Amino acid sequence: MLLRAQPLGLLIAVVLLGPARISSHHESGPWHCDSDAGIRIRSQFRPGVITVDGKVDDWSGVSGSDFALLPALDPDADKEYNAGRLTLKAVHDGNEAYFMLQIDGNYAYTQGDDTRCASVALMFQIGENATYHRMGGCEEEPTTCTNKTCRGHEVDIVHFSLGNAIPGRLYGGNPVDNRQGYGGDRFGHLVDLYGWNPHCRYLDGLGPSENDTSAQNDWQGSWWHSSLTDHSGFINEDSPYASGGQKGTYYFEFSRPLRTKDHLQQDAQFTIGRSNKVSAAFWYPEEGKPWHGSAHYSVSCDWILLDFVPADSSELTSASQGSSWDFATTFSLFFSVVALCLSIIVGHRLSTTTRTANFIPMENL
């Protein structure tokens, strides 16, 4: 089965990362960047709050950061995405990291055509030399980039294209694809990738010279649009799920373990109390025209710091008090039940003794 899996994975990689898309990742002029180095995103400790279903009511109490969306290859303010800004929020529960992206945009959906639907990606720094610009910044060409020649330039990417993804349903890592040892998603195209530059990107587990079947897709995600009517759940036959062109907002939710089992330098690792570097990108079929790989908007022309905040003392105290209260309540309830049972047994014995006592006539007293 593994012999059949490798060509399938390579085919997916070619479709996703083929020459028609990556060849356009060349800037039209000298690169310039005026980023705000003070921007930070705080991933706070919020256990038991978030459900990854595309619907974001459970994020209402979480603060986020708003960003203007500028073209990734030419980040000039006069070319800003004009439908609205991107809001990025993050939390963690001590085991999983959760992300939510919110972007205004008219509803656009074409079944089976990713480029005529909205799409998002998150990118994280892995290697200490990995730059935001040129997606890791390794200077090697596609024919020479390897895990040795580009060591230290690794970036981690999760990319969600919607052409085959039903709103409100969960996509990403699944038993079928993970069993084959790579970062693909044949059901909804929420894929787990790594890269060294725009020309050298691969699904986790795949590489330019050989594959490693120990990899997997660690991400889960879902999407929604505010124009959709919420009911018991959509199925594929409901496509396109709403009328095209309706004004509204896209919502994307993602989750992933803080630490993964990656040993190939293909996943960023998150640690509570420390920071990671992140960026976010958005593709949209403006004026009904399909997008292509490099024609995306980004929240910044440089990395943004992402802080994984530990639980503060008040949260720990509250959790401890809740646990103590639960224990005391359970203990008291247990003894109440025991006392009730004992009283029933004693009452029963007394009533039995009274009924079986011998009768003594009055004259014999």
Side-chain angles (χ1 to χ4, degrees), residues 289-306:
K289 300 177 182 178
W291 51 260
H292 58 88
S294 66
H296 59 279
Y297 296 95
S298 181
V299 296
S300 177
C301 58
D302 204 349
W303 291 118
I304 297 169
L305 287 176
L306 169 65

Side-chain angles (χ1 to χ4, degrees), residues 39-43 99 124-126 258-259 268-278 303-310:
I39 299 176
R40 303 183 81 99
I41 299 170
R42 288 170 56 85
S43 177
F99 301 90
F124 303 88
Q125 183 189 53
I126 302 176
L258 293 173
R259 312 290 293 184
Q269 302 300 325
F270 306 143
T271 302
I272 298 171
R274 299 184 64 179
S275 299
N276 287 74
K277 293 181 178 180
V278 64
W303 291 118
I304 297 169
L305 287 176
L306 169 65
D307 302 326
F308 286 91
V309 182

Side-chain angles (χ1 to χ4, degrees), residues 27 31 72 123 131-138 301-303:
E27 291 88 9
W31 172 255
M123 181 171 72
T131 59
Y132 162 82
H133 182 224
R134 298 195 71 247
M135 200 176 294
C138 180
C301 58
D302 204 349
W303 291 118

